Amino acid sequence: MNEMTELERLRSEVPAPAADALAAQEGRFLAALAAEEDRPPAAPRVRRRARPLLAGLPAAAALAAVLAVVAVLGPVVAGRDARLAAYANSAIDIELRGDEYVATIKDPFADHALYSEAFRAMGLDVALDLRPASPTGVGKVFRLGFAGTTERDRIGGALRPEGCAPGRPGCALTVTVSKGFGGKGTLYLGRPAKPGELYQNNADAARKGEALEGYVPDGRTVAEVLAETRRRGLEVTFQIIRPAPDGDGFSMNPREQSAKVGGHWVVWAAEPYRQGAVRLLVSEERVPKNPVRGG
C-alpha cells in the first residue's frame, strides 16, 4: 500500500461535519467581520516626553534653584574626598592659604558654637573661646589646650596685620591652623571687652596702650598713685597681698580684701581691671624686693 492510498483511507474514516454546524460557524465569522468594520478607528498613541523639572520658571528663578541645590550638596560631596578650601558663616571666615588655614573673626561676640561649626566644616577639631581683654591683650592667647598628632601640627592666634590697633578698619582677630592638622585644640584668645566687662588677661597697666601708660606705680604709696589715677579719670580697686618676708612672692587671703587701705600702704603693681579702671596690688608693709615683679 502506497502513501496516497493510505491517506485516502484515513480521510474516508473521518465523519463529515453536519450541514447546520457549518452554517452556524459561517454566521459567527460574518458577524465578527461586520462588527470590526463598524468600530471607529483607534486614536494614534503619542509618546510624551518627560517635562524638565524647572520648565516654565523664568531663567533667573531656575538659576537660583540650581545654585540653592549646589549650595546644599556641594560641601557634602567635597567633604567625602577632601577638606574644603574655604568656609564662612556670620561669625568667622576660614580659608586655606598655602600651608595653613587662616580664620578671620568677623564677630568677636558671637556664640562660640559658630566658630566650632566653621572649623568642623573644614575638617578641623578646633574650638575657639574668646575672652574680654585689656587693649594690649586683644589678639593674645590666654591659654591653649592642644593635642597634636604630628610635629607639624600648629595652632595659634594673633592680630593681623601684626601690631594693628583693634577696632580699626583692616585690623582683625585671626586664628591659624597648620594644613593637615590632625589633632585637637581649644584656643583661648583675647577679644575687645564690652563696657563694664572685667578683663580676664594679666597685663601691666603702665605699659604702652594701657590706662597708666608712661607712669610707674611700683613701690609708690597708695596716696601717690591715687593722685595720678584721679588725674587720668580712672577708678581704682584694691587687691591686698601678703608679701613673703624676703620679697620672693606673696599670698592673698580673700577674707582680708575688705580691710581699709591707707594712703601710706605700698603699691607693688597696677593691672588693667576693666575699661576706665585699674586694680592696685598693695600691702601695708614694705619689703626689700617687689613681691609681684621679683625685683
Side-chain angles (χ1 to χ4, degrees):
M1 182 182 294
N2 60 32
E3 294 179 357
M4 292 301 296
T5 304
E6 179 64 15
L7 181 60
E8 287 295 332
R9 186 186 68 77
L10 292 174
R11 182 180 298 168
S12 64
E13 294 177 358
V14 177
D20 57 346
L22 289 175
Q25 183 177 2
E26 182 179 2
R28 287 196 298 270
F29 173 77
L30 293 175
L33 183 62
E36 185 67 25
E37 290 177 350
D38 293 337
R39 180 180 300 169
R45 296 183 63 185
V46 178
R47 177 172 296 178
R48 297 182 181 275
R49 297 180 61 185
R51 188 180 185 189
L53 181 62
L54 301 179
L57 286 178
L63 178 60
V66 172
L67 292 178
V69 173
V70 172
V72 172
L73 298 181
V76 176
V77 174
R80 285 202 299 261
D81 303 320
R83 288 178 171 176
L84 299 178
Y87 184 88
N89 60 25
S90 60
I92 190 170
D93 285 342
I94 306 178
E95 64 176 324
L96 180 61
R97 300 179 189 172
D99 62 352
E100 66 180 6
Y101 294 94
V102 178
T104 302
I105 298 165
K106 298 188 291 187
D107 182 1
F109 308 109
D111 186 333
H112 291 168
L114 290 174
Y115 308 137
S116 298
E117 169 196 292
F119 284 113
R120 189 166 53 249
M122 300 294 286
L124 301 170
D125 192 353
V126 174
L128 182 58
D129 190 337
L130 298 184
R131 302 292 180 90
S134 65
T136 61
V138 175
K140 301 292 179 61
V141 177
F142 285 15
R143 189 167 75 254
L144 177 62
F146 173 71
T149 57
T150 72
E151 294 181 354
R152 292 175 295 178
D153 282 347
R154 303 183 311 277
I155 183 172
L159 284 171
R160 289 197 180 188
E162 185 178 354
C164 67
R168 298 279 182 87
C171 185
L173 276 171
T174 61
V175 173
T176 55
V177 181
S178 56
K179 181 181 179 181
F181 180 84
K184 181 176 182 178
T186 300
L187 188 70
Y188 298 85
L189 190 66
R191 62 157 172 82
K194 297 178 182 179
E197 277 190 313
L198 300 184
Y199 299 140
Q200 295 188 29
N201 63 314
N202 294 318
D204 184 352
R207 69 183 299 182
K208 184 177 180 180
E210 297 291 354
L212 284 175
E213 177 182 345
Y215 179 81
V216 181
D218 302 9
R220 298 178 185 268
T221 66
V222 167
E224 291 176 304
V225 177
L226 288 180
E228 180 64 21
T229 58
R230 284 194 294 268
R231 189 181 72 82
R232 298 186 182 218
L234 299 173
E235 296 180 23
V236 172
T237 186
F238 296 105
Q239 179 174 313
I240 299 171
I241 65 174
R242 185 177 294 175
D246 58 1
D248 289 332
F250 64 92
S251 61
M252 191 273 293
N253 188 341
R255 291 176 296 181
E256 295 177 348
Q257 299 308 304
S258 59
K260 184 174 175 60
V261 175
H264 64 286
W265 285 38
V266 182
V267 176
W268 298 110
E271 299 176 341
Y273 183 64
R274 56 176 168 77
Q275 186 177 338
V278 294
R279 175 172 53 201
L280 304 181
L281 278 64
V282 302
S283 71
E284 186 171 10
E285 68 275 23
R286 184 181 291 273
V287 291
K289 294 191 299 185
N290 188 322
V292 178
R293 311 291 187 196

